[in-house]
Amino acid sequence: MRRGCISLGNIKCDECKRTILYPERYLAIQEDSINRTLCKDCCLSKGLAKEESSKDGRDTTFLLGD
């Protein structure tokens, strides 16, 4: 299961080991009994998120489907 979340400041990315600061968004992935946390940049590089341009600016959409 994948969930898009907002950091409270005490989260680390399991891929790049960077601290995800408040109020950055991240992706929580639960597969079998393994939990992983990925920052927005790692999700974009792995194809798990995409940036979309709109009239007001840039939005990031996490792809939550398996």
Side-chain angles (χ1 to χ4, degrees):
M1 173 174 29
R2 296 179 188 170
R3 289 174 284 164
C5 305
I6 298 174
S7 175
L8 296 177
N10 56 354
I11 305 291
K12 284 200 182 278
C13 177
D14 290 331
E15 188 73 23
C16 66
K17 308 298 183 211
R18 180 177 71 83
T19 300
I20 304 170
L21 301 174
Y22 174 80
E24 288 184 69
R25 294 176 62 200
Y26 68 95
L27 185 64
I29 302 172
Q30 182 181 11
E31 296 172 339
D32 299 324
S33 62
I34 300 171
N35 296 322
R36 295 185 327 166
T37 302
L38 297 176
C39 67
K40 181 176 82 168
D41 296 331
C42 289
C43 287
L44 288 170
S45 68
K46 290 184 171 286
L48 297 173
K50 63 181 180 178
E51 285 195 349
E52 299 175 342
S53 296
S54 65
K55 187 176 180 180
D56 299 329
R58 295 190 148 258
D59 293 325
T60 301
T61 302
F62 289 105
L63 305 175
L64 301 178
D66 290 331

